[in-house]
Amino acid sequence: MSIPTGISHEESVVVTDANLASAVGSGLVDVFATPMLVALCELAASNCVKPHLEPGEVTVGTRVDVEHSAASVTGMRVTATATVTAVDRRRVDFSLVVADEAGEVGKGVHTRFVVDKEKFMAKAQARKV
């Protein structure tokens, strides 16, 4: 695994009825939901480093700190950009910027860890009571 700092990746989604705060239970208004914004950020970060992973490796999110500063309504395209800011062994830190056609709607930081998928899932299953 060799993940360079400074690499970026973006992911976009169009706001639909399915990803509104009123639809996902995070509020009562018909705007892009904060949980969906966070998921979009995680997708951008995950896909940013994916080409740099060894076979069998994946990343898992462990920290998200995002400010959702403006509302996006149905039909708007929301784009999250994740940029690698630091790599420490298996920990990868990202800066996040989220925008729609009208401008910035969020920003923050995110941490992911590189793990062996099979070992990770075995450990997760072992926690099952």
Side-chain angles (χ1 to χ4, degrees), residues 18-66:
N19 55 26
L20 298 176
S22 57
V24 302
S26 68
L28 300 175
V29 290
D30 293 336
V31 297
F32 192 56
T34 300
M36 303 309 290
L37 182 135
V38 170
L40 186 63
C41 288
E42 286 207 66
L43 179 63
S46 177
N47 285 339
C48 183
V49 297
K50 190 175 182 179
H52 302 278
L53 302 178
E54 299 295 327
E57 290 180 332
V58 295
T59 61
V60 293
T62 60
R63 176 177 176 243
V64 181
D65 184 359
V66 174

Side-chain angles (χ1 to χ4, degrees), residues 8 35-36 79 90 98 117:
S8 293
M36 303 309 290
T79 301
R90 295 192 162 274
V98 186
K117 183 178 179 180

